[in-house]
Amino acid sequence: YGYPVRRHIRKIQKSKARAKFGFNQYAPLLLVMGGSQGAVSLNEWARSHFTSLAESGIHLCCLTGLNKGNAGVLEHTNSKGNLIRAHFIPFCDDMSELLSASDLVVARSGAGSIAEVSRCQLPSILVPLPNSADNHQCANAVYHERRGCCVIVPQKEMDRLEREVKYLIDNESLLDSMRTNLKRLDLDDSLELIVEDLELLFREGDPTRSFQLKAKEAM
């Protein structure tokens, strides 16, 4: 059925989203986020690799999570004379705009994060949280990758993360393919489907039958 997403989470026009945050309108923008709680390892990776990313013309926004790093803006003028910025922000209540402004996201693979990037059709590089309960983040990421929506980089292999970012963010045909797959994957009416199934369950009093009916409808 997909994952219920807040109704205001929607893909919006990139130029409007970037204008809201003051991001460069034309340069590649990488978003790094660790889910609602943030991820120290991803925050540290963003800070330590900003200069190298800037040399490739890549702007950066890192959603650090509360109390997971210093907020502020870093700047670097690369060898081509272009001023590149990295924005570090602890919290954002305008996720539609932030996701829509970005070209690529490096993120954990919790269900909520995946649902939001899917709704906003944002290609991703997923770094599953090690030792998550029942290894569910790895399972989420594998499901997403098999449908052509992301690339997985295990945390123990983060030494190749920069290479993956630079390759993917410059590969517009691959990004377009991922966006198409994300649009296909996203179930805009997932909440309605879940509510309908619950109503059917209570009406008929047979959970097995209700789920079987829904499974047939989805085939």
Side-chain angles (χ1 to χ4, degrees):
Y1 294 161
Y3 187 93
V5 179
R6 291 168 292 170
R7 292 187 182 279
H8 71 271
I9 300 292
R10 289 287 187 274
K11 181 177 176 62
I12 65 174
Q13 187 176 342
K14 181 180 290 186
S15 60
K16 291 182 179 179
R18 290 196 174 188
K20 179 181 178 69
F21 293 98
F23 295 149
N24 184 292
Q25 284 287 349
Y26 306 105
L29 176 64
L30 173 69
L31 173 63
V32 178
M33 64 180 195
S36 59
Q37 301 301 313
V40 172
S41 60
L42 297 186
N43 298 343
E44 291 177 345
W45 179 89
R47 287 188 181 275
S48 64
H49 288 80
F50 167 58
T51 299
S52 179
L53 294 170
E55 282 299 320
S56 295
I58 301 171
H59 289 251
L60 173 69
C61 181
C62 181
L63 190 58
T64 64
L66 296 173
N67 303 314
K68 293 289 179 66
N70 296 325
V73 179
L74 300 179
E75 294 184 341
H76 176 78
T77 300
N78 64 19
S79 57
K80 294 182 179 179
N82 298 319
L83 179 63
I84 309 297
R85 291 188 173 92
H87 299 254
F88 291 84
I89 55 179
F91 177 77
C92 179
D93 57 4
D94 295 315
M95 287 305 297
S96 286
E97 288 87 348
L98 188 57
L99 294 169
S100 297
S102 306
D103 295 299
L104 177 68
V105 61
V106 172
R108 292 300 194 196
S109 48
S113 293
I114 287 182
E116 290 185 349
V117 300
S118 296
R119 180 60 50 84
C120 294
Q121 297 167 34
L122 179 60
S124 59
I125 297 176
L126 298 180
V127 185
L129 176 68
N131 305 316
S132 60
D134 298 321
N135 206 23
H136 72 275
Q137 286 212 6
C138 182
N140 291 344
V142 168
Y143 180 89
H144 209 55
E145 185 180 53
R146 286 177 177 172
R147 281 149 184 80
C149 301
C150 77
V151 171
I152 297 174
V153 174
Q155 183 152 313
K156 63 182 180 181
E157 298 177 21
M158 281 184 64
D159 57 336
R160 67 181 178 89
L161 181 54
E162 179 185 349
R163 184 171 67 253
E164 295 286 357
V165 166
K166 289 181 177 179
Y167 170 75
L168 186 53
I169 207 166
D170 282 335
N171 193 329
E172 192 58 35
S173 63
L174 184 52
L175 291 176
D176 277 341
S177 176
M178 286 185 169
R179 294 182 193 111
T180 298
N181 293 333
L182 285 162
K183 186 175 182 179
R184 184 181 302 117
L185 179 65
D186 179 51
L187 288 174
D188 194 40
D189 59 349
S190 56
L191 179 59
E192 287 79 3
L193 287 171
I194 291 171
V195 170
E196 287 175 8
D197 194 68
L198 289 172
E199 289 176 346
L200 184 62
L201 186 155
F202 282 108
R203 284 201 306 270
E204 301 197 359
D206 184 350
T208 301
R209 176 174 170 73
S210 69
F211 288 125
Q212 287 175 342
L213 288 173
K214 285 293 180 181
K216 288 181 179 179
E217 292 174 3
M219 294 177 64

